[in-house]
């Protein structure tokens, strides 16, 4: 699949950009799915609404490949997903340009930070054994590069604690376990992301099925209509952190920050959301 390989390599770069939604058609082999690749930004919920307009996405499958992003915008996006009753999985979507209607999912993909909570939004959730699901603490992104040496105000702590509360409510609303929060919040930004083991994926309720056919079903029972799954090259391990800088441009070359609201001064504005430190 020469065309498919080229597209897979391109997706590695797309993962560093703001999240993009694409419909992957694979008829007559399967029913198609939504590819969600990239960083969750303040624009992602609105862009998903625009993508969904005119499409019948109720019960659709969303294939995630993301380093995470904005806490509050990921929560908003995840609630949209759950409202549609979507199914979720992790992978890199590849369409073979040489064979129209042929598509595949490369399982060696990454779902990190707030992507993990998007994964949780699926009514049915499948994680391939080759996929990497990684968690990390919420942190102030403009200080995550040297978190130990940075200084923090009482307002900074209030913002983090408030958004942990929002994330906790969302986790339980989606059917996740408190173990997911405990694992995530135990990893500080100066340590490597924690990759969830198969046992931890079950402990946290992140997976609900071991069968890929439950999220990527064939059109019929014919063996010829199975979704092809190929081996993917390992992705880079970009860390994704919180930012409190309003108007910050999307980080195209470095998937370590996304834009969020400015931390207010003088008590005249609402507190800023935070981003996960991954």
């Amino acid at each position: 699949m020469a065309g498919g390989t080229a597209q897979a390599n391109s997706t590695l770069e797309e993962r560093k950009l703001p999240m993009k939604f694409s419909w992957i058609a694979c008829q007559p082999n399967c029913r198609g799915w939504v590819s969600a690749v990239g960083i969750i930004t303040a624009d992602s919920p609105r862009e998903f609404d625009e993508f969904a307009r005119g499409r019948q996405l109720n019960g659709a499958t969303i294939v995630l490949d993301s380093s995470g992003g904005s806490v509050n915008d990921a929560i908003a996006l995840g609630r949209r997903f759950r409202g549609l009753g979507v199914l979720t999985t992790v992978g890199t979507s590849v369409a073979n340009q040489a064979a129209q209607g042929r598509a595949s999912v490369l399982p060696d993909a990454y779902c990190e930070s707030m992507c993990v909570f998007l994964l949780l939004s699926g009514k049915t959730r499948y994680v391939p054994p080759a996929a990497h699901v990684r968690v990390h603490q919420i942190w102030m992104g403009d200080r995550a590069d040297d978190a130990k040496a940075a200084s923090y105000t009482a307002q900074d702590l209030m913002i983090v604690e408030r958004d942990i509360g929002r994330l906790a409510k969302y986790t339980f609303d989606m059917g996740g376990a408190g173990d997911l929060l405990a694992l995530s919040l135990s990893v500080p930004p100066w340590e490597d992301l924690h990759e969830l083991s198969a046992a931890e994926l079950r402990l946290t309720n992140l997976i609900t099925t071991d069968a890929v056919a439950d999220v990527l079903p064939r059109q019929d029972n014919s063996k010829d209509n199975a979704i092809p799954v190929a081996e993917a090259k390992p992705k880079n391990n970009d860390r994704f952190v919180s930012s409190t800088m309003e108007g910050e441009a999307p980080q195209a070359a470095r998937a370590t920050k996304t834009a969020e609201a400015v931390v207010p001064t003088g008590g005249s504005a609402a507190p800023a959301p935070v981003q996960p430190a991954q």
Side-chain angles (χ1 to χ4, degrees), residues 192-257:
D192 292 338
L193 284 74
H194 174 70
E195 182 161 338
L196 299 179
S197 66
E200 287 170 335
L201 288 171
R202 288 199 170 280
L203 180 68
T204 55
N205 288 344
L206 273 171
I207 60 173
T208 63
T209 180
D210 292 323
V212 64
D214 288 342
V215 295
L216 291 169
R218 300 189 294 268
Q219 291 286 71
D220 56 37
N221 293 323
S222 168
K223 184 177 180 180
D224 292 338
N225 282 344
I227 297 174
V229 176
E231 181 179 355
K233 294 181 180 179
K235 294 179 175 59
N236 58 37
N237 186 23
D238 288 337
R239 297 181 63 174
F240 193 49
V241 301
S242 159
S243 175
T244 55
M245 306 299 292
E246 185 166 33
E248 187 177 71
Q251 301 293 311
R254 181 184 177 202
T256 55
K257 292 186 181 180

Side-chain angles (χ1 to χ4, degrees), residues 9-193:
N9 292 336
S10 175
T11 302
L12 298 180
E13 296 304 315
E14 290 175 1
R15 189 169 172 268
K16 302 177 182 180
L17 300 173
M19 183 165 277
K20 178 181 178 182
F21 304 98
S22 306
W23 177 256
I24 307 297
C26 59
Q27 290 81 2
N29 304 296
C30 58
R31 68 177 186 178
W33 62 86
V34 177
S35 169
V37 181
I39 299 168
I40 307 155
T41 71
D43 294 326
S44 297
R46 175 185 56 80
E47 291 180 353
F48 178 74
D49 288 343
E50 293 175 357
F51 170 80
R53 190 173 295 118
R55 288 185 168 93
Q56 296 296 325
L57 296 183
N58 289 321
T61 294
I62 297 181
V63 178
L64 297 162
D65 184 17
S66 170
S67 297
S70 161
V71 171
N72 291 321
D73 295 303
I75 289 173
L77 186 57
R79 292 196 183 279
R80 283 166 167 76
F81 288 177
R82 178 56 65 90
L84 291 168
V86 305
L87 321 175
T88 52
T89 188
V90 180
T92 300
S93 300
V94 177
N96 187 353
Q97 303 299 329
Q100 187 174 4
R102 295 284 181 176
S104 62
V105 175
L106 308 178
D108 189 1
Y110 286 80
C111 184
E112 300 172 331
S113 184
M114 286 308 295
C115 174
V116 176
F117 294 88
L118 285 185
L119 174 66
L120 187 62
S121 71
K123 292 185 69 175
T124 301
R125 306 181 287 272
Y126 170 75
V127 175
H132 308 277
V133 178
R134 296 175 172 177
V135 295
H136 208 262
Q137 277 184 357
I138 289 172
W139 208 263
M140 310 301 289
D142 55 345
R143 277 152 284 185
D145 288 341
D146 195 359
K148 288 184 177 180
S151 60
Y152 304 90
T153 67
Q155 187 176 45
D156 293 335
L157 298 180
M158 178 276 296
I159 291 170
V160 172
E161 291 186 6
R162 181 207 61 196
D163 283 359
I164 288 174
R166 290 176 174 173
L167 191 58
K169 183 179 187 307
Y170 169 88
T171 298
F172 298 130
D173 287 348
M174 296 295 112
D179 299 276
L180 177 58
L181 293 167
L183 286 165
S184 300
L185 299 177
S186 66
V187 185
W190 50 84
E191 294 182 4
D192 292 338
L193 284 74

